[in-house]
Amino acid sequence: RRRTRRHSTTRANGERRRRTATATMTTTAFVEGLSKAFGLIVLSEIGDKTFFIAALMAMKRRRVDVFLGAWSALFAMTALSACAGTMSARALSPVVTKRAATGLFFAFGARGVRDACARGDDDDDELKEVEAELAGRQRNAKKKATTSWAVFAEAFAVTFLAEWGDRSQIATVGLAAQSDVAGVTLGGALGHAVCTGVAVIGGRQLADRAANAERVVTGIGGCLFLLFGVHALLSG
């Protein structure tokens, strides 16, 4: 009986240790995915097209409506990208997934560093492009969006289309293929909330500053992508 009790106790302790280890690994993966996605989005979206859209729209519309519309579009895109990354990881072998994600990180990192070196300090072409697009939409619109729902829908549509195929979207797919999907989704959503909130509050003045500092932000973002690539290459 004593041997049976000892055996049962040993088995129970082993089971508890395994559960604790599994919970620790899950928490670590979640925090890692969240922190990576948050940093990636913040450094990718400041000075990006969607950042300028939110800043310029908030000058002529209610800030709350613009924020909710733009952030909802970015959250939806983040969730779709994270799901796509997870499905890719399940459909492909771990080796293929790892190589593809690593290649994406290095490609985006090299491109970011190259663009930062080639771009001038006063390069605000993207800001001017967004201004022209929004002005064109306003001219072509039969009726100016005034209600909260109309402003929300306009901000959502413009932001969603601008984010489709963007570098941060593709990078989120690669990140979700290797990291915890819940952490990546939450981290991306928080990052977009911060960037969109800053853009909406700052308005045109902050958009001008972001355009002038785009070279620095692009360079830092490129280095972050390269670090992600190195981490993915060295991790098991």
Side-chain angles (χ1 to χ4, degrees), residues 31 36 41 44 46 52-53 73 76 100 104 123 132 151-152 177 183 205:
V31 173
K36 281 185 175 181
I41 293 301
S44 296
I46 291 182
F52 294 140
I53 288 173
L104 280 176
D123 191 351
V151 174
F152 174 91
Q205 184 177 4

Side-chain angles (χ1 to χ4, degrees), residues 191-211:
H192 281 303
V194 170
C195 293
T196 306
V198 169
V200 167
I201 294 173
R204 175 57 192 258
Q205 184 177 4
L206 187 61
D208 287 332
R209 293 185 180 181

Side-chain angles (χ1 to χ4, degrees), residues 9 33 40 45 49 68 90 93 135 140 147 173 201 209-210 213 215:
T9 302
L40 181 150
E45 293 298 316
K49 192 172 184 178
L68 292 177
R90 292 178 179 178
S93 66
N140 296 330
T147 64
V173 174
I201 294 173
R209 293 185 180 181
R215 180 179 183 181

Side-chain angles (χ1 to χ4, degrees), residues 27 38 62 72 76 122 126 149 154 205 214 234:
T27 303
F38 181 84
R62 283 189 62 204
S72 297
D122 57 348
E126 194 162 25
W149 170 248
E154 182 183 7
Q205 184 177 4
E214 189 175 357
L234 298 178

Side-chain angles (χ1 to χ4, degrees), residues 53 64 144:
I53 288 173
V64 174
K144 182 180 179 181

Side-chain angles (χ1 to χ4, degrees), residues 32-116:
E32 179 181 334
L34 187 150
S35 58
K36 281 185 175 181
F38 181 84
L40 181 150
I41 293 301
V42 169
L43 291 176
S44 296
E45 293 298 316
I46 291 182
D48 193 60
K49 192 172 184 178
T50 55
F51 183 90
F52 294 140
I53 288 173
L56 296 178
M57 287 192 67
M59 293 172 56
K60 300 179 180 180
R61 308 285 194 276
R62 283 189 62 204
R63 292 178 176 179
V64 174
D65 300 331
V66 173
F67 173 81
L68 292 177
W71 181 77
S72 297
L74 295 170
F75 175 76
M77 188 66 72
T78 300
L80 289 174
S81 302
C83 291
T86 302
M87 289 188 292
S88 300
R90 292 178 179 178
L92 302 174
S93 66
V95 175
V96 174
T97 303
K98 178 179 178 180
R99 289 177 179 176
T102 304
L104 280 176
F105 291 144
F106 277 120
F108 285 135
R111 180 183 173 185
V113 173
R114 184 200 64 186
D115 291 346

Side-chain angles (χ1 to χ4, degrees), residues 111-186:
R111 180 183 173 185
V113 173
R114 184 200 64 186
D115 291 346
C117 295
R119 179 178 287 126
D121 291 328
D122 57 348
D123 191 351
D124 58 350
D125 290 341
E126 194 162 25
L127 175 58
K128 295 178 180 178
E129 179 184 346
V130 172
E131 282 185 304
E133 289 183 7
L134 293 178
R137 286 180 60 90
Q138 188 173 356
R139 285 194 302 268
N140 296 330
K142 295 181 180 180
K143 185 179 180 181
K144 182 180 179 181
T146 54
T147 64
S148 295
W149 170 248
V151 174
F152 174 91
E154 182 183 7
F156 184 97
V158 174
T159 304
F160 191 89
L161 292 176
E163 184 68 8
W164 186 267
D166 188 71
R167 175 180 59 182
S168 60
Q169 182 208 3
I170 301 174
T172 302
V173 174
L175 192 60
Q178 282 200 312
S179 304
D180 183 83
V181 63
V184 171
T185 303
L186 180 58

